[in-house]
Amino acid sequence: MIEIDALTKDYLDLTVVDHVSMRIDDGDIAVIVGTSGSGKTTLLRMINRLIEPTSGSVKIDGKDTRSVPAHLLRREIGYAIQGHGLFPHRTVGQNIATVPVLMGWEKPRIAARVEELLELFQLPADQFRDRLPSELSGGQQQRVGVARALAAEPKLLLMDEPFGALDPIIRAKAQADLVGIQKRFGTTIVLVTHDMEEAIHLGTRIAVMDQGKLLQYATPAEIVVKPATDFVGELLGSGDRAFRLLGLRRIGDFVEPGEASGAPVSAEQTLRDGLEEALWSGRAVLPVVDGAGKPVGRLTLATLQRLGARPQ
Amino acid sequence: MSTVAATGSPRIAVDKLGVLIALIAAVAALMPFAAFRANRIVVGISKGIFEALPLWEAVLVALALVAAILVALLRTPRLWRLFASLAMLAVLFVAIGHSASFLTPEGDRLARVSPGAGFWLAVFAFALLAADSFTRLKLAPWLRIVTLLLVAGAIALLLWSGAWNDLSILREYANRAEAFWREGQTHIALALGSLAAATVVGIPLGVVCHRVDGLRAVVLNVLNALQTIPSIALFGLLIAPLAWVAANVPGASAIGISGIGAAPAMVALFAYSLLPVVANTVVGLEGVPPAATDAARGMGMTNWQRLAKVEFPLAFPVILTGIRIVLVQNIGLATIAALIGGGGFGVFVFQGVGQTAMDLVLLGAVPTVALAFAAAVILDAIVEMVSTGARPA
């Protein structure tokens, strides 16, 4: 658990982060979203003390981050940044091993961990371990960057626009990978982005920042349904509120008993996917199957209509 | 090149640089090949190639020259060009030795035969061709060092075989063999010693300049100003302060510090060396990708670890380039140390100038140029070896 209390950063007479307080529970993906200059990156960098706060405090599992030397604190916290920041003169394997080496792990343990992470990120170790970063594609470099951040099994991972340099297709893949890895390791993630779409897609909690102030800190559904200020609403855009709301819910949670004809949708898909399928195929009722393809019931257009409406 | 020659039009294609080389070589052929003097300071008598060699040898050299000019002029494969130029250089080197033996009357120890303008010009033309085809071949760094060693070995073989013993420059050497090796050692000690000192001081200074913004401008400006002082003036300017140190600091003169001699030479070379080392260290560190530095900090490296594991290895090729500049520059500059009694190959150059004995000047100048050239080839190769793979992603 991370407790951020009245955290403030002043540069001369400019306040970049202004008394921000928030709590991030274990296993959360907290996404800090805002325009450039909102203070979101500064807030993130104060968590691992790359920037020292002017006032306020950060506690990780009840322990003040200032109670240990900054470099030791940072070794316990994963750190991934835009443009990956891989060391160009070191191989993929050496890059991933950076923090374990700093922490003095035994060699066999480091080698095993590097191999495990490479397999996890679908980069076969025998092919990729000894390559240099310049020999990888952008998407591969980004994955190595995240693998490196996770190498020492940190409980907390900080990510600064980690997908900013990727094209849309690779980005979607990288986002899906991140969600999978978060589920697997239960890592708490704090991620900074300027992209509200990405925030809603990835976040379990979203913090909206503007001019150094935390405007709203809530679940994605709450943000979509009840933006705290006009600015938050503006950041969301008014175009597809209903679709965003539907996009946050699983079909499986709204299945009714019954049957329907035509191609089925999966219980794992979002209501937004269901609506799209219903409209496109011109059906008012869709059959729903579970992960194994077994029918579990049906989804009606009426349900979709009810759930997509502004909650009272 | 070979594919161009094979698939191109049947018309004969001309190489641009080859035209220049052919022109120089043609001019060289018309100029005196060697010069004969009854003793080392009288004015020489020029000898054309047919006067300087026995007839059949002269004919062979002339034919070789025509063949080599043709290879240079036409668009021929790179390897042909390299071999033609090296072969031509070998022919010239052997021929000049023969010419000296041919022109010197039997048993005459006073007569001097030195290479003429035609010989030097021809060597220049084919060295140019060799360098050009060598560069175009894009050999691996270690192969370049091997080639350098082979060339050095071939020259050593020529010297050892006695083929050049009748040449004026070796006659001068024979009179001064002991001094030659002594001054050679001094020369290398001056060049390498000042380089080592500049590296030890310059790299840390560069690191500090990189990290402390205010210091960078001050240090680089001071070093820039130092660099603009003419070398002879700097050697001269150091005489007074070092003489004062020698006289007033206890023990200073005991370790060899004095107003003239090796100490001021060393100090001056060190001063000239600092700017390239410091500037390249700063530039190299500035070239480290900011994302890599940020990641290093973010993952918990201390300042030292970041410098040693990330910044320095990435900046190293640029720093090494600075060291290469310094080494080549110092090998040349160390010649001037002789002016203030610092020793080195410059001793022969200045003695030769004083006695109007050009052969003696060459005895100092040729090894200096050879050393500088070899240093450049070796360090370039090393720079390339450490740079591969460290290119920013």
Side-chain angles (χ1 to χ4, degrees):
Chain A
M1 187 174 65
I2 303 155
E3 293 158 285
I4 296 172
D5 185 30
L7 205 58
T8 301
K9 181 68 192 178
D10 297 326
Y11 286 112
L12 298 175
D13 46 357
L14 185 73
T15 301
V16 189
V17 173
D18 193 0
H19 292 85
V20 170
S21 299
M22 57 196 277
R23 209 184 81 175
I24 301 159
D25 288 320
D26 286 343
D28 263 359
I29 300 183
V31 180
I32 307 170
V33 63
T35 51
S36 55
S38 61
K40 58 188 191 298
T41 295
T42 308
L43 176 62
L44 182 86
R45 290 167 73 90
M46 282 194 285
I47 296 176
N48 67 355
R49 290 175 60 198
L50 279 172
I51 295 176
E52 293 289 352
T54 309
S55 65
S57 71
V58 179
K59 283 187 191 142
I60 298 179
D61 294 332
K63 207 169 130 195
D64 195 308
T65 51
R66 278 166 302 190
S67 63
V68 286
H71 66 276
L72 296 180
L73 170 76
R74 290 181 202 138
R75 288 177 195 174
E76 305 284 341
I77 301 174
Y79 185 61
I81 52 177
Q82 176 167 21
H84 61 75
L86 295 177
F87 304 138
H89 61 303
R90 294 189 164 196
T91 63
V92 167
Q94 289 168 332
N95 264 289
I96 295 177
T98 304
V99 182
V101 167
L102 288 177
M103 293 173 88
W105 286 17
E106 308 248 317
K107 273 193 180 153
R109 186 177 169 204
I110 296 177
R113 180 65 178 163
V114 167
E115 200 145 318
E116 179 191 352
L117 281 165
L118 280 173
E119 298 299 335
L120 189 64
F121 282 89
Q122 297 131 48
L123 300 165
D126 51 344
Q127 273 181 54
F128 285 91
R129 184 176 36 219
D130 299 323
R131 288 206 208 167
L132 287 171
S134 56
E135 296 167 312
L136 306 185
S137 71
Q140 290 166 340
Q141 289 171 342
Q142 193 273 342
R143 274 182 273 165
V144 175
V146 179
R148 182 176 67 172
L150 291 170
E153 296 164 1
K155 284 175 64 188
L156 171 62
L157 173 59
L158 304 182
M159 309 182 91
D160 190 357
E161 302 257 6
F163 311 120
L166 303 179
D167 64 60
I169 291 173
I170 295 176
R171 180 186 307 195
K173 168 92 170 65
Q175 289 170 342
D177 283 351
L178 183 70
V179 172
I181 277 155
Q182 196 274 338
K183 285 213 175 93
R184 180 181 169 131
F185 292 124
T187 318
T188 309
I189 296 176
V190 182
L191 186 147
V192 159
T193 180
H194 63 269
D195 179 359
M196 187 54 112
E197 195 72 49
E198 183 169 271
I200 292 173
H201 179 60
L202 289 177
T204 54
R205 304 268 279 171
I206 295 175
V208 183
M209 283 192 71
D210 185 43
Q211 295 179 356
K213 290 197 167 66
L214 180 61
L215 299 182
Q216 189 173 10
Y217 182 48
T219 63
E222 263 179 276
I223 297 258
V224 171
V225 173
K226 283 184 280 190
T229 67
D230 289 347
F231 180 80
V232 179
E234 229 171 274
L235 214 53
L236 274 165
S238 55
D240 23 57
R241 281 172 295 192
F243 303 108
R244 286 216 163 107
L245 196 54
L246 292 174
L248 290 167
R249 293 165 176 180
R250 268 177 76 250
I251 289 176
D253 297 336
F254 302 95
V255 175
E256 306 163 17
E259 283 177 14
S261 58
V265 289
S266 160
E268 293 308 315
Q269 286 178 289
T270 66
L271 292 176
R272 185 178 182 160
D273 300 325
L275 177 63
E276 204 273 342
E277 179 59 31
L279 293 176
W280 190 249
S281 61
R283 288 176 290 172
V285 196
L286 303 171
V288 179
V289 295
D290 64 10
K294 210 172 89 218
V296 290
R298 61 182 198 164
L299 178 69
T300 64
L301 199 53
T303 307
L304 289 168
Q305 202 173 9
R306 176 169 55 81
L307 292 168
R310 180 210 289 257
Q312 297 309 309
Chain B
M1 288 300 284
S2 57
T3 51
V4 172
T7 58
S9 58
R11 273 179 305 129
I12 293 165
V14 170
D15 186 88
K16 276 182 203 154
L17 185 71
V19 174
L20 180 69
I21 288 166
L23 274 176
I24 299 174
V27 171
L30 300 175
M31 294 178 81
F33 185 70
F36 175 82
R37 282 166 300 165
N39 62 53
R40 66 194 284 249
I41 53 174
V42 295
V43 176
I45 307 160
S46 297
K47 302 277 186 186
I49 189 145
F50 285 93
E51 298 165 287
L53 284 166
L55 181 64
W56 66 271
E57 275 188 45
V59 170
L60 276 183
V61 172
L63 285 176
L65 192 64
V66 171
I69 288 178
L70 280 177
V71 173
L73 195 57
L74 304 178
R75 284 214 185 153
T76 40
R78 281 172 243 181
L79 220 51
W80 285 27
R81 301 171 77 77
L82 183 62
F83 281 125
S85 54
L86 291 179
M88 192 60 223
L89 286 172
V91 167
L92 286 168
F93 284 159
V94 172
I96 195 70
H98 276 207
S99 170
S101 313
F102 176 68
L103 289 175
T104 310
E106 195 73 36
D108 187 342
R109 299 301 300 165
L110 288 177
R112 288 285 192 270
V113 177
S114 49
F119 171 82
W120 289 120
L121 215 51
V123 167
F124 170 70
F126 291 102
L128 197 64
L129 180 62
D132 176 62
S133 31
F134 201 66
T135 317
R136 286 200 223 170
L137 271 173
K138 295 197 176 70
L139 289 181
W142 67 271
L143 265 175
R144 299 210 298 265
I145 294 182
V146 168
T147 313
L148 177 75
L149 290 176
L150 286 177
V151 170
I155 291 174
L157 197 68
L158 270 174
L159 285 168
W160 175 78
S161 70
W164 282 349
N165 277 359
D166 288 321
L167 267 183
S168 56
I169 180 169
L170 282 180
R171 288 265 167 108
E172 295 290 351
Y173 165 76
N175 293 337
R176 293 179 170 76
E178 201 185 320
F180 179 85
W181 293 109
R182 190 178 63 233
E183 299 304 351
Q185 275 178 12
T186 309
H187 199 100
I188 291 171
L190 279 174
L192 289 183
S194 55
L195 169 70
T199 308
V200 169
V201 175
I203 292 177
L205 193 57
V207 171
V208 174
C209 283
H210 171 66
R211 295 228 169 157
V212 185
D213 275 337
L215 203 63
R216 184 178 331 172
V218 177
V219 170
L220 289 182
N221 280 331
V222 168
L223 293 177
N224 248 324
L226 261 181
Q227 202 82 1
T228 60
I229 303 175
S231 47
I232 295 185
L234 185 58
F235 282 100
L237 284 173
L238 284 167
I239 294 177
L242 284 174
W244 185 88
V245 169
N248 293 286
V249 177
S253 55
I255 58 165
I257 292 177
S258 64
I260 57 167
M266 194 68 109
V267 172
L269 289 176
F270 167 75
Y272 281 124
S273 308
L274 269 183
L275 178 68
V277 175
V278 174
N280 278 50
T281 306
V282 172
V283 171
L285 291 173
E286 274 172 0
V288 174
T293 320
D294 185 40
R297 259 164 54 80
M299 286 190 298
M301 288 193 186
T302 61
N303 277 344
W304 274 113
Q305 286 168 335
R306 178 160 52 98
L307 181 66
K309 294 183 173 199
V310 178
E311 292 181 311
F312 195 77
L314 286 174
F316 189 59
V318 183
I319 297 174
L320 205 57
T321 308
I323 290 175
R324 174 215 182 276
I325 295 170
V326 167
L327 184 57
V328 175
Q329 168 191 291
N330 279 7
I331 290 174
L333 269 179
T335 317
I336 299 174
L339 268 188
I340 49 165
F345 285 128
V347 168
F348 305 119
V349 174
F350 290 111
Q351 274 179 12
V353 169
Q355 302 173 7
T356 63
M358 284 323 285
D359 305 324
L360 194 50
V361 174
L362 286 179
L363 184 63
V366 170
T368 308
V369 172
L371 272 180
F373 180 75
V377 171
I378 293 172
L379 278 170
D380 276 340
I382 297 176
V383 168
E384 204 179 310
M385 280 193 255
V386 299
S387 312
T388 43
R391 280 178 230 103

